[in-house]
Amino acid sequence: MSERTGKYSITMPRDLAEAARKRGGPSGLSAYVAAAVARQIERDNLDELIRVAEAGHGPIGDEEIQALRDQLLKARHGEGTAA
């Protein structure tokens, strides 16, 4: 990892910290927490993108969501999509 790092003090429930420490394995607690924070930031960014899209185009309906899920599933199985 070539990114600069900093040392921070955080407070969290002991049971969560211990579970994270155990799951961190050889990479350690810091790497595990950094990965979790990165995932949360990605989710926050996606939530913001959805809010902006829905503000401009209206809410995304359940049928549209299912159609997109079906399309992703087909793409994962190599079925491709017709454009």
Side-chain angles (χ1 to χ4, degrees):
M1 182 185 243
S2 62
E3 293 183 38
R4 292 179 51 193
T5 61
K7 189 168 182 134
Y8 303 92
S9 174
I10 62 168
T11 302
M12 64 186 339
R14 234 176 257 255
D15 59 338
L16 287 178
E18 288 307 312
R21 186 181 306 280
K22 288 178 187 174
R23 291 178 182 255
S27 298
L29 178 61
S30 292
Y32 190 85
V33 171
V37 170
R39 279 192 306 275
Q40 185 62 48
I41 290 170
E42 288 175 355
R43 288 180 179 152
D44 293 345
N45 289 341
L46 286 172
D47 286 344
E48 178 63 23
L49 181 62
I50 290 168
R51 279 192 295 278
V52 168
E54 286 184 336
H57 303 287
I60 301 167
D62 291 340
E63 290 178 4
E64 291 172 290
I65 292 171
Q66 189 58 51
L68 290 170
R69 284 183 177 146
D70 293 343
Q71 189 176 9
L72 284 171
L73 187 60
K74 286 179 184 177
R76 285 184 183 149
H77 289 114
E79 296 176 29
T81 57

